[in-house]
Amino acid sequence: QVQLQESGPGLVKPSETLSLTCTVSGGSISSYYWSWIRQPPGKGLEWIGYIYYSGSTNYNPSLKSRVTISVDTSKNQFSLKLSSVTAADTAVYYCARGISPNYYYYYMDVWGKGTTVTVSS
Amino acid sequence: SSELTQDPAVSVALGQTVRITCQGDSLRSYYASWYQQKPGQAPVLVIYGKNNRPSGIPDRFSGSSSGNTASLTITGAQAEDEADYYCNSRDSSGNHVFGGGTKLTVL
């Protein structure tokens, strides 16, 4: 049973860089897409981006200038960096495994429990 | 990037059928996936592809698509189905977007 666990600081100062890691256990990081999604308090889900195990990435255009997602296959981990954060980046951050059997669909079948990140001085 | 539109709230009587819809141009080309989220919990995948349910999802959940609209149908809604439901799809650039979510109330 694949499990995902987010980790990282729960408090980040404005203008600094938010850094989170997702550890994949119970399965390999290979052959899947690995996504980050966030949810501001009381609001809906927002896709941040994904990385394929081989290293190719795709980011939400609205966040692209500030986001970097990387993967470390040796540690079965992938990471999120979001620079120049503001209070608007305060959210629960989720990592998830993505599957795309063909060009026409993609789904996220395993999610981490989420980690709350607050941006405040 | 593309947008997906959902009704903010829907209600259904216990045991009745409810359909939650998701509209967007990208749905003409790509399938939606659907996620259930209960308060304080991570989202759970309930439908993906044409009409596929992950293991453990009750068969009262089903999906369909027509034109620019994807639908999640719950046939015989149960109290435990009360939750927020989100659709998700990709666009031609490979970007992904979530709908705004639908809060389902089971009366």
Side-chain angles (χ1 to χ4, degrees):
Chain A
Q1 182 82 349
V2 175
Q3 293 184 316
L4 307 182
Q5 179 67 59
E6 304 90 350
S7 59
L11 181 64
V12 182
K13 290 182 168 54
S15 80
E16 295 189 345
T17 296
L18 178 160
S19 296
L20 297 175
T21 296
C22 183
T23 300
V24 180
S25 60
S28 174
I29 206 164
S30 297
S31 303
Y32 293 100
Y33 295 82
W34 301 96
S35 293
W36 288 98
I37 302 98
R38 70 180 183 179
Q39 186 171 36
K43 295 188 177 181
L45 301 172
E46 180 181 31
W47 176 73
I48 298 171
Y50 68 64
I51 187 165
Y52 193 48
Y53 78 101
S54 61
S56 61
T57 56
N58 206 342
Y59 301 139
N60 186 324
S62 69
L63 299 170
K64 189 172 185 176
S65 63
R66 299 194 292 132
V67 172
T68 302
I69 298 176
S70 58
V71 65
D72 187 337
T73 54
S74 67
K75 294 183 178 179
N76 246 27
Q77 294 177 333
F78 62 106
S79 299
L80 168 70
K81 291 189 185 301
L82 181 65
S83 64
S84 305
V85 298
T86 70
D89 295 310
T90 293
V92 176
Y93 285 76
Y94 296 99
C95 58
R97 184 177 78 171
I99 298 174
S100 185
N102 61 48
Y103 181 72
Y104 300 102
Y105 69 99
Y106 174 98
Y107 57 95
M108 291 169 278
D109 68 331
V110 181
W111 292 62
K113 294 185 187 302
T115 187
T116 299
V117 178
T118 301
V119 179
S120 175
S121 55
Chain B
S1 63
S2 59
E3 292 186 355
L4 297 178
T5 302
Q6 297 183 241
D7 291 329
V10 171
S11 62
V12 61
L14 185 67
Q16 296 303 300
T17 296
V18 62
R19 185 166 68 179
I20 298 170
T21 60
C22 174
Q23 290 188 304
D25 286 341
S26 65
L27 299 178
R28 297 184 183 278
S29 303
Y30 306 102
Y31 289 111
S33 52
W34 290 92
Y35 303 86
Q36 176 194 69
Q37 187 182 34
K38 296 182 179 179
Q41 298 183 19
V44 172
L45 176 70
V46 293
I47 290 289
Y48 65 95
K50 193 172 183 179
N51 180 18
N52 300 291
R53 282 176 289 105
S55 173
I57 301 301
D59 61 5
R60 63 179 179 270
F61 289 87
S62 63
S64 61
S65 184
S66 179
N68 73 336
T69 301
S71 300
L72 172 70
T73 300
I74 307 174
T75 304
Q78 301 300 302
E80 60 264 33
D81 299 333
E82 187 162 290
D84 294 328
Y85 290 86
Y86 295 90
C87 59
N88 176 267
S89 185
R90 59 163 293 175
D91 63 19
S92 58
S93 299
N95 299 315
H96 290 256
V97 64
F98 285 95
T102 297
K103 183 177 182 60
L104 176 67
T105 300
V106 180
L107 303 171

